[in-house]
Amino acid sequence: MTARFKAEPTAKAPPPDLNDPVQRAAYSRELKMVARPIRYLGVALALGAAILAALRARYWPDLPMILPLFLLGVAALHLFAGIVIRAKYHQARMRG
C-alpha cells in the first residue's frame, strides 16, 4: 500500500491593488477569463432558444413550445453558474 502525501501548499497570488489603474485593468482582463466557456455557452443556448422559438412560430407550429423554454432554462442556469463562479473567484482573489 502506498502512503498518501499531501500536496505542497501553492503560493497564492496577492490581491490586486485596485487603486492602481494598470493593476485594475489587468485584474479586469483576468476576471473576464473566469468561467468564460460557461457564460458563452449560456449566451449561445439563449440565442438557440430564441431562434427555435421564432422558427416554431413561423414554420414549425407542431414543435412543442417546451423545447425553446427548456433551452432558455438551461441557458439561464449556465449564466447563473458563470456569475457564481466569478463571484467566488473574486472573493478568493481578494482574500489573497
Side-chain angles (χ1 to χ4, degrees):
M1 189 180 291
T2 61
R4 294 184 183 205
F5 295 103
K6 288 188 176 183
E8 292 294 321
T10 58
K12 294 183 180 179
D17 179 19
L18 297 180
N19 294 325
D20 180 18
V22 174
Q23 286 189 19
R24 186 174 42 237
Y27 182 65
S28 176
R29 284 190 304 272
E30 176 185 339
L31 201 55
K32 284 180 185 178
M33 298 304 288
V34 175
R36 189 176 189 178
I38 294 171
R39 291 182 289 119
Y40 281 2
L41 181 60
V43 171
L45 286 172
L47 288 174
I51 291 170
L52 192 60
L55 289 174
R56 179 193 176 273
R58 180 79 175 172
Y59 301 111
W60 296 326
D62 295 337
L63 187 70
M65 188 59 192
I66 194 72
L67 287 176
L69 291 176
F70 176 76
L71 277 179
L72 194 58
V74 172
L77 288 175
H78 276 81
L79 292 171
F80 183 70
I83 291 169
V84 169
I85 290 170
R86 280 182 64 169
K88 293 291 184 182
Y89 178 86
H90 176 69
Q91 286 176 351
R93 188 74 162 80
M94 287 297 123
R95 267 188 256 124

